[in-house]
Amino acid sequence: MREFVISDAKAETAVLVGLITQGQDEAKTREYLDELEFLADTAGAVTVKRFTQRSGGANMTTYVGKGKLEEIKSYIQVKEDEEDPIGMVIFDDELSAKQLRNIEKELGVKILDRTSLILDIFAMRAQTANAKTQVELAQYRYMLPRLQRLWSHLERQGGGSGAGGGKGTVGLRGPGETQLEMDRRIILQRISLLKKRLVEIDKQKTTQRKNRGRLIRVALVGYTNVGKSTIMNLLAKSEVFAENKLFATLDTTVRKVVIENLPFLLADTVGFIRKLPTDLVDSFKSTLDEVREADLLLHVVDISHPDFEEQVQVVNETLKDLECADKPSMIIFNKIDKYQWEEKEPDDLTPATQKNISLEELKRTWMAKLNDDCLFISAKNKENIDEFRNILYKKVRELHVQKYPYNDFLYEADIN
């Protein structure tokens, strides 16, 4: 099911909408909209304009206020006669059924929120039966509370009498509600079927994991688009799909890696993101079993990103939700080749920000306390990869001795 797909046809033109609130300042909103634009680009849409509004919070009926909605509507109308009219408006937060219905009625174009956009990308990226089932389950869970919106074309009209013989708006009420209940029942049945299918898939994957032998399991985790697949390709000498797009990897890939005669399993997992839909996390729990069953987590971070520390926090929170926060881990700061900074002018008295800190200075902050649990590399340019392999070998070997103390190949590796 591809209810939200926007990427199969010609690229549609989109505008983005976000809020500036007490808990989310202008800089943060701008960064979130940058990410939303990257999501839209990944899904195949072209962003032409952004709208923001300062507010105490999202309007319960239209997300933004009446004036801002009118401003967006006027912009859409101006663009109507151009070669690429506005095809959709994308909101940076998840919208309720009521908000979706009211905004769609007012603007007259396709309305997406961050959740439906992410679901679209996941549907586009899903390749295996497992991933497709998980995405479909998440889509149905998203649709279920929004079914009323899908039936907005059955708006009740005055006049006429229905089966109940009542007055006024009764005329179309019966058929509309009957169809709505039918759709709800069909979706609930489909959700139940998909859950059962995922249980079966999970059993199969559990059996596969048991058959992998006595090997240490290492999982690459991190925010989306930080370079996990590139690192996987370097270590495993494989050809896992890697692209400068969000969620380039959706299906978990497991490869056997050997460093100095020491074999272990390396898993490349789906990337995390801010405001990741709860239904999507729930649906992908079986895929994330590779993370839960890993002996060592390699937390990959894009150090060139202006807000990498928040991304680290997002990943840590997700790992906590998966009950994996206490696992042995190592932070791999990737993309050092892209790290940029600007030295402050001597007369600049404003507080220093990350963009004013050199990479060497950054290494002397909280990261210095991590010792061998922290490494700076460039997977693209293969910088510090030998050091990475050496540290990884030591950690895997230590874990292997603890978990499988009587495995002979370790001693063979020492002799060789």
Side-chain angles (χ1 to χ4, degrees), residues 114 173 252:
R114 176 180 272 253
R173 181 162 51 193
T252 298

Side-chain angles (χ1 to χ4, degrees), residues 95-358:
L95 300 174
S96 67
K98 185 177 183 180
Q99 289 171 325
L100 278 166
R101 189 165 57 248
N102 291 336
I103 296 169
E104 208 167 54
K105 184 178 179 181
E106 184 67 23
L107 300 183
V109 295
K110 186 188 302 180
I111 305 300
L112 296 180
D113 57 17
R114 176 180 272 253
T115 299
S116 57
L117 186 58
I118 292 174
L119 286 171
D120 174 62
I121 296 168
F122 269 58
M124 180 175 63
R125 297 292 193 191
Q127 298 296 322
T128 65
N130 186 24
K132 289 177 181 177
T133 302
Q134 291 173 121
V135 172
E136 188 177 354
L137 176 59
Q139 286 182 321
Y140 277 126
R141 281 173 162 169
Y142 175 85
M143 282 178 62
L144 191 59
R146 295 167 177 81
L147 273 179
Q148 186 70 43
R149 167 185 165 242
L150 301 179
W151 282 93
S152 59
H153 62 284
L154 287 179
E155 279 187 5
R156 299 179 180 115
Q157 302 169 5
S161 59
K167 297 180 183 179
T169 61
V170 180
L172 293 175
R173 181 162 51 193
E177 288 189 344
T178 301
Q179 186 63 55
L180 189 64
E181 289 305 314
M182 282 176 60
D183 285 353
R184 190 184 303 276
R185 193 159 49 248
I186 289 169
I187 288 180
L188 287 171
Q189 289 171 351
R190 186 66 181 166
I191 287 174
S192 178
L193 176 65
L194 291 169
K195 283 181 177 179
K196 289 178 183 176
R197 191 176 294 171
L198 284 176
V199 169
E200 291 301 314
I201 292 173
D202 195 36
K203 286 180 182 177
Q204 294 171 8
K205 285 191 169 292
T206 300
T207 303
Q208 288 173 3
R209 284 192 288 269
K210 286 180 180 177
N211 292 335
R212 287 175 185 164
R214 299 168 69 182
L215 295 175
I216 291 298
R217 297 173 186 175
V218 180
L220 292 161
V221 298
Y223 210 78
T224 183
N225 201 43
V226 294
K228 297 188 299 298
S229 297
T230 304
I231 292 174
M232 176 79 158
N233 290 336
L234 270 177
L235 294 176
K237 298 177 182 177
S238 58
E239 294 184 2
V240 175
F241 180 66
E243 185 184 16
N244 187 30
K245 296 277 187 179
L246 300 181
F247 304 115
T249 299
L250 191 55
D251 295 292
T252 298
T253 305
V254 181
R255 294 284 186 270
K256 184 177 179 180
V257 177
V258 180
I259 300 178
E260 296 185 30
N261 293 336
L262 174 61
F264 60 93
L265 297 175
L266 182 64
D268 182 17
T269 62
V270 62
F272 304 140
I273 196 170
R274 282 175 289 223
K275 305 179 184 179
L276 189 65
T278 304
D279 288 340
L280 207 51
V281 175
D282 290 342
S283 298
F284 272 75
K285 273 193 163 59
S286 62
T287 292
L288 294 171
D289 277 343
E290 292 292 347
V291 177
R292 276 193 289 268
E293 295 193 17
D295 300 293
L296 174 66
L297 301 180
L298 299 182
H299 182 172
V300 184
V301 179
D302 176 4
I303 199 166
S304 69
H305 193 281
D307 203 20
F308 73 87
E309 288 182 289
E310 186 183 345
Q311 292 187 350
V312 169
Q313 187 177 349
V314 168
V315 173
N316 287 339
E317 286 298 320
T318 307
L319 291 174
K320 187 177 178 182
D321 292 341
L322 293 170
E323 299 179 353
C324 298
D326 296 330
K327 284 185 177 290
S329 62
M330 179 179 175
I331 297 186
I332 310 298
F333 290 102
N334 190 25
K335 304 189 183 183
I336 58 174
D337 56 302
K338 290 187 175 180
Y339 187 85
Q340 296 179 339
W341 68 287
E342 300 172 5
E343 191 170 3
K344 286 183 65 179
E345 296 293 333
D347 58 347
D348 185 354
L349 301 179
T350 58
T353 62
Q354 186 201 315
K355 69 178 182 180
N356 304 127
I357 302 175
S358 70

Side-chain angles (χ1 to χ4, degrees), residues 8-37:
D8 289 343
K10 178 186 174 184
E12 290 190 69
T13 305
V15 297
L16 311 181
V17 183
L19 292 179
I20 301 168
T21 63
Q22 189 173 358
Q24 183 174 302
D25 61 21
E26 187 173 354
K28 186 67 63 182
T29 298
R30 183 167 57 250
E31 186 187 320
Y32 284 4
L33 290 178
D34 285 344
E35 186 171 84
L36 190 65
E37 182 172 345

